[in-house]
Amino acid sequence: MILEHAVLPVRAGREADFEAAFARARPLIACQPGFLELSLHRSAETPNEYLLLVSWESVEAHAAGFRRSAEYEQWRQLLHDFYDPF
């Protein structure tokens, strides 16, 4: 198992929109082969920053699987405009 982590700096004032978009994006990653679990945590000190943790069976499941899938493109379209900077 591997643990992917990403700090997501969301544009200030867009947190609620981001969380709603993330709820729509979550099934896109959860259906991937090799996906184990995901959690999203909002920072108490910096409310527009989130910590994304994703457990995968292998690096290949993440990098060669999800990152090259049609679902990843949908994930990007839903979420990447919220990040500042990307």
Side-chain angles (χ1 to χ4, degrees), residues 4-83:
E4 170 192 5
H5 71 280
V7 174
L8 306 175
V10 172
R11 295 179 193 279
R14 301 286 319 275
E15 296 89 354
D17 293 335
F18 169 73
E19 290 176 16
F22 192 87
R24 291 191 307 275
R26 185 182 205 113
L28 298 170
I29 195 171
C31 72
Q32 296 300 305
F35 169 86
L36 298 173
E37 66 180 333
L38 171 148
S39 62
L40 182 68
H41 306 274
R42 189 173 183 178
S43 171
E45 292 86 11
T46 310
N48 67 310
E49 284 189 359
Y50 294 79
L51 175 62
L52 173 66
L53 300 172
V54 185
S55 296
W56 297 95
E57 289 179 357
S58 66
V59 172
E60 293 77 24
H62 167 61
F66 179 56
R67 285 289 180 114
R68 294 185 182 164
S69 70
E71 289 85 3
Y72 179 71
E73 289 304 313
Q74 295 172 7
W75 171 277
R76 279 184 356 98
Q77 289 174 0
L78 282 168
L79 300 175
H80 286 198
D81 286 339
F82 287 101
Y83 306 142

